[in-house]
Amino acid sequence: AQKVTQAQTEISVVEKEDVTLDCVYETRDTTYYLFWYKQPPSGELVFLIRRNSFDEQNEISGRYSWNFQKSTSSFNFTITASQVVDSAVYFCALSSSGYSTLTFGKGTMLLVSP
Amino acid sequence: GAVVSQHPSRVICKSGTSVKIECRSLDFQATTMFWYRQFPKQSLMLMATSNEGSKATYEQGVEKDKFLINHASLTLSTLTVTSAHPEDSSFYICSASHRLINTDTQYFGPGTRLTVL
């Protein structure tokens, strides 16, 4: 069975602080995909990143960066110099290759104050 | 690209009525569409997986006769909540996967907030 754990239920930071959202996953599959989605107060889920299990290179996109470590089954997400607009619930998710059902974590609510 | 729309965005109905929610992939053909529900401050719960032209696959505990799913084309899936009751009030979100590329990535619609009085 697959499982995604986001241990941080809620994080509060002040603008310009860096913040890391943790994600730990469990799967027996050798090929799988990891995702991060952002859900702002409006409710729509916004796709942020997809990473396959064979690609452990870290990725940076603007203020966002992701650290994938298979050894610890973690796929952490860092926002550098956070902004108020980053306030949202962030979900980490996992799927098996060729079978696109997603297993979601419970989400981490990030509140960035001015 | 990869835009998914839902209609309506918000609906209020009386107990016992049926409500239909549409999910459309606007700029791509979706092999598969998914329906989720989300209660306040909780994660998304998958209700069913829908492939164009075939019957939907429902998750355990989801009543197929209550939540009717029709996936008539590669760009449209509908969820009908039949004989809705207050406990069906929730946020319903659909998603779609590209037919030809990135089949493991789901793109989500903006959601439909259902309130049953």
Side-chain angles (χ1 to χ4, degrees), chain B residues 68-90:
Chain B
L68 301 178
I69 293 173
N70 183 283
H71 193 160
S73 74
L74 283 170
T75 60
L76 173 64
S77 176
T78 59
L79 167 68
T80 302
V81 183
T82 62
S83 187
H85 291 285
E87 57 265 30
D88 298 323
S89 298
S90 187

Side-chain angles (χ1 to χ4, degrees), chain A:
Chain A
Q2 297 187 325
K3 186 179 178 182
V4 176
T5 301
Q6 293 180 257
Q8 303 150 308
T9 305
E10 199 170 311
I11 301 176
S12 292
V13 299
V14 178
E15 222 173 4
K16 297 185 183 176
E17 281 186 32
D18 299 347
V19 58
T20 295
L21 309 180
D22 298 332
C23 174
V24 174
Y25 63 92
E26 295 175 29
T27 180
R28 293 180 181 173
D29 297 319
T30 54
T31 304
Y32 51 89
Y33 294 91
L34 293 162
F35 302 81
W36 276 95
Y37 287 90
K38 173 183 179 181
Q39 187 177 38
S42 60
E44 180 174 2
L45 265 80
V46 178
F47 167 74
L48 296 179
I49 190 170
R50 168 181 177 261
R51 169 70 75 228
N52 77 54
S53 52
F54 295 110
D55 183 1
E56 284 194 73
Q57 254 190 332
N58 291 329
E59 181 153 340
I60 298 175
S61 176
R63 296 184 296 108
Y64 295 171
S65 62
W66 290 270
N67 184 343
F68 176 29
Q69 294 200 350
K70 284 179 82 169
S71 60
T72 56
S73 297
S74 65
F75 186 44
N76 296 337
F77 173 31
T78 297
I79 301 175
T80 303
S82 58
Q83 299 176 1
V84 173
V85 293
D86 296 326
S87 297
V89 179
Y90 291 85
F91 290 98
C92 180
L94 167 71
S95 74
S96 297
S97 176
Y99 184 64
S100 48
T101 299
L102 287 170
T103 299
F104 280 90
K106 292 189 175 182
T108 297
M109 177 178 286
L110 174 65
L111 178 60
V112 182
S113 307

Side-chain angles (χ1 to χ4, degrees), chain B:
Chain B
V3 178
V4 177
S5 71
Q6 270 183 254
H7 178 79
S9 58
R10 192 179 291 266
V11 58
I12 301 172
C13 69
K14 291 182 179 179
S15 188
T17 60
S18 294
V19 175
K20 180 186 282 189
I21 303 170
E22 290 188 350
C23 176
R24 292 182 186 273
S25 55
L26 298 184
D27 53 359
F28 67 99
Q29 291 185 327
T31 308
T32 307
M33 287 184 167
F34 304 84
W35 287 96
Y36 296 83
R37 67 187 296 181
Q38 185 181 31
F39 292 108
K41 297 194 177 183
Q42 292 191 22
S43 189
L44 282 76
M45 285 176 41
L46 179 65
M47 299 174 66
T49 303
S50 166
N51 292 296
E52 183 262 339
S54 60
K55 288 184 179 179
T57 303
Y58 290 80
E59 294 299 300
Q60 195 171 10
V62 177
E63 299 174 57
K64 60 178 70 174
D65 294 331
K66 180 166 187 62
F67 298 100
L68 301 178
I69 293 173
N70 183 283
H71 193 160
S73 74
L74 283 170
T75 60
L76 173 64
S77 176
T78 59
L79 167 68
T80 302
V81 183
T82 62
S83 187
H85 291 285
E87 57 265 30
D88 298 323
S89 298
S90 187
F91 191 55
Y92 291 88
I93 311 175
C94 73
S95 69
S97 301
H98 274 254
R99 182 181 190 188
L100 297 175
I101 58 172
N102 287 343
T103 54
D104 295 285
T105 299
Q106 293 181 30
Y107 297 92
F108 286 81
T112 297
R113 193 163 300 281
L114 171 63
T115 302
V116 185
L117 303 176

